[in-house]
Amino acid sequence: MKQCPRCKQTYSDENLNFCLEDGELLSVFAYDPPPSLYADDPPPTVLLTEARVTNPASWPQSPLTARPTGQPQFQHQPFGESSMFHSRDKTLPTISLILGIASIVLICCYGGIWLGAPAAVLGFLGMRNADNDPGRYDGRSMAIGGMVLGGVSLLGSLAIAFFAILAR
C-alpha cells in the first residue's frame, strides 16, 4: 500500500507512484516490503543545476569559429550573399562551351552555322566579362574553348557547304 504524505489518501495499486488528487509522490507504508526489494523500479532522476561538462577536444580552432577580440560575433550580410561561398558567374562561358561541343558533333549537318556562330559570340562576351570584372565573372578558359570550337565548326560547316554547292 502507498500513501500520499499531503492528503493522506491511500492507494493499493503498486504501479502508482503519484497521488491522483494532488500529484504528490506516494510513500510506502511501513508494513509493505522495503523499496529495495522492488527490483523493477528505475533509479531516481538526477537533477542538475548546470550543464554537464565534457572533455573538450584539443583541436585547433577553425578559421570560421576563431575571431579576434573586439569583433562582433555575427555580422549582417544581405540575403543570398555569403562571403565564404560566393561563386563568380560562369553562365556565358558554360553556354558557349556547350554550344561549341554540340557544333563540332553536328558539323556534318551544318551545325557550325547555327550552333558554332552563337558559341563564338557567347565565348567572346564571356571572355570580355571575365577580363573586365574578374571579381564578379569567371570561366575565361571555358569561354576561350567555346569560342575556338564555335569558330572551327563555323569554318568547317562553311567549307562543307561550299563543297556541296560546287559538287552540284
Side-chain angles (χ1 to χ4, degrees):
M1 300 265 300
K2 295 185 178 183
Q3 182 180 20
C4 175
R6 183 178 291 172
C7 68
K8 305 297 183 201
Q9 177 78 23
T10 59
Y11 297 98
S12 60
D13 187 6
E14 295 298 323
N15 293 326
L16 275 177
N17 291 325
F18 297 97
C19 179
L20 298 176
E21 299 294 322
D22 56 14
E24 188 71 29
L25 182 65
L26 298 176
S27 60
V28 179
F29 270 52
Y31 58 84
D32 279 349
S36 62
L37 297 179
Y38 294 123
D40 295 337
D41 288 344
T45 303
V46 178
L47 298 176
L48 300 175
T49 58
E50 301 180 349
R52 183 175 156 213
V53 179
T54 59
N55 282 338
S58 59
W59 297 338
Q61 261 189 335
S62 70
L64 297 176
T65 58
R67 67 181 201 285
T69 57
Q71 292 284 334
Q73 184 176 1
F74 300 105
Q75 295 178 352
H76 176 69
Q77 291 182 350
F79 179 75
E81 293 184 17
S82 173
S83 62
M84 183 173 174
F85 299 110
H86 183 72
S87 64
R88 297 179 292 181
D89 188 18
K90 299 179 188 176
T91 305
L92 286 178
T94 303
I95 294 172
S96 170
L97 188 61
I98 291 170
L99 288 176
I101 293 170
S103 68
I104 288 292
V105 171
L106 298 174
I107 198 167
C108 63
C109 305
Y110 307 110
I113 297 172
W114 52 277
L115 289 177
V121 171
L122 290 176
F124 176 76
L125 293 175
M127 187 178 66
R128 190 181 65 184
N129 285 345
D131 287 341
N132 291 341
D133 193 2
R136 187 170 173 197
Y137 296 104
D138 195 16
R140 185 176 193 280
S141 59
M142 286 194 313
I144 292 172
M147 192 169 49
V148 167
L149 288 174
V152 167
S153 67
L154 177 63
L155 292 177
S157 290
L158 290 176
I160 291 173
F162 179 72
F163 288 124
I165 291 173
L166 285 179
R168 285 191 178 181

